[in-house]
Protein backbone atom coordinates (compact mmCIF):
# COMPACT_ATOMS: atom_id res chain seq x y z
CA UNK A 1 0.00 0.00 0.00
CA UNK A 2 1.37 3.40 -0.98
CA UNK A 3 1.90 5.99 1.75
CA UNK A 4 3.13 8.75 -0.59
CA UNK A 5 1.53 10.50 -3.59
CA UNK A 6 3.22 9.00 -6.63
CA UNK A 7 1.62 11.55 -8.97
CA UNK A 8 3.21 14.47 -7.10
CA UNK A 9 6.57 12.75 -6.79
CA UNK A 10 6.70 11.92 -10.50
CA UNK A 11 5.44 15.33 -11.65
CA UNK A 12 8.74 17.20 -11.08
CA UNK A 13 12.44 16.95 -10.52
CA UNK A 14 13.13 17.39 -6.80
CA UNK A 15 15.85 18.57 -4.49
CA UNK A 16 15.72 17.90 -0.76
CA UNK A 17 16.88 19.77 2.30
CA UNK A 18 17.41 17.69 5.43
CA UNK A 19 16.67 18.61 9.04
CA UNK A 20 19.68 20.46 10.49
CA UNK A 21 21.35 21.00 7.11
CA UNK A 22 20.88 23.97 4.75
CA UNK A 23 22.42 22.19 1.74
CA UNK A 24 20.25 21.03 -1.17
CA UNK A 25 20.65 17.54 -2.56
CA UNK A 26 19.40 16.24 -5.91
CA UNK A 27 16.78 13.55 -5.30
CA UNK A 28 17.05 10.38 -7.40
CA UNK A 29 14.27 8.14 -6.08
CA UNK A 30 11.55 7.89 -3.44
CA UNK A 31 9.80 4.63 -2.61
CA UNK A 32 6.08 5.44 -2.33
CA UNK A 33 5.50 2.41 -0.10
CA UNK A 34 8.25 2.94 2.49
CA UNK A 35 9.38 6.58 2.22
CA UNK A 36 12.99 5.50 1.66
CA UNK A 37 14.88 7.74 -0.74
CA UNK A 38 18.14 7.99 -2.66
CA UNK A 39 19.86 11.33 -3.21
CA UNK A 40 23.12 12.64 -4.66
CA UNK A 41 26.00 13.81 -2.47
CA UNK A 42 28.98 14.99 -4.53
CA UNK A 43 28.24 12.47 -7.29
CA UNK A 44 27.62 9.51 -4.98
CA UNK A 45 24.25 8.05 -4.07
CA UNK A 46 23.20 8.15 -0.43
CA UNK A 47 20.17 6.57 1.19
CA UNK A 48 17.77 8.31 3.54
CA UNK A 49 14.14 8.52 4.62
CA UNK A 50 11.43 11.09 4.01
CA UNK A 51 11.20 11.57 7.79
CA UNK A 52 14.66 13.19 7.73
CA UNK A 53 13.67 15.77 5.09
CA UNK A 54 12.74 19.29 6.14
CA UNK A 55 11.76 20.59 2.66
CA UNK A 56 11.26 19.39 -0.87
CA UNK A 57 12.12 21.97 -3.51
CA UNK A 58 11.33 21.63 -7.21
CA UNK A 59 13.67 23.02 -9.84
CA UNK A 60 11.49 26.14 -10.15
CA UNK A 61 12.32 26.95 -6.52
CA UNK A 62 8.86 26.09 -5.11
CA UNK A 63 9.04 24.63 -1.62
CA UNK A 64 6.85 21.77 -0.42
CA UNK A 65 6.30 20.37 3.05
CA UNK A 66 6.56 16.66 3.78
CA UNK A 67 2.83 16.54 4.54
CA UNK A 68 2.15 17.50 0.89
CA UNK A 69 3.51 14.08 -0.12
CA UNK A 70 1.53 11.87 2.29
CA UNK A 71 -1.58 10.08 1.02
CA UNK A 72 -3.56 11.04 4.15
CA UNK A 73 -3.74 14.59 2.82
CA UNK A 74 -6.03 13.58 -0.06
Amino acid sequence: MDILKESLINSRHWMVKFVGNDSLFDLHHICVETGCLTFDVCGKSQNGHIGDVSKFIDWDGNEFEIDDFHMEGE
Side-chain angles (χ1 to χ4, degrees):
M1 179 175 187
D2 294 349
I3 62 168
L4 301 175
K5 298 177 188 174
E6 185 173 6
S7 60
L8 177 60
I9 291 167
N10 290 333
S11 69
R12 300 158 197 213
H13 189 94
W14 298 101
M15 294 175 286
V16 291
K17 186 183 290 188
F18 290 95
V19 175
N21 189 335
D22 288 333
S23 298
L24 290 175
F25 300 95
D26 188 28
L27 183 64
H28 291 283
H29 175 78
I30 303 175
C31 177
V32 296
E33 293 179 352
T34 65
C36 293
L37 50 89
T38 305
F39 58 99
D40 182 276
V41 178
C42 299
K44 296 189 179 201
S45 293
Q46 295 285 329
N47 296 320
H49 191 269
I50 192 170
D52 299 325
V53 174
S54 63
K55 296 275 184 191
F56 283 88
I57 301 147
D58 66 16
W59 278 37
D60 292 329
N62 302 308
E63 292 188 3
F64 293 79
E65 301 294 327
I66 291 145
D67 291 341
D68 296 331
F69 289 83
H70 285 280
M71 291 295 283
E72 296 87 12
E74 290 192 331

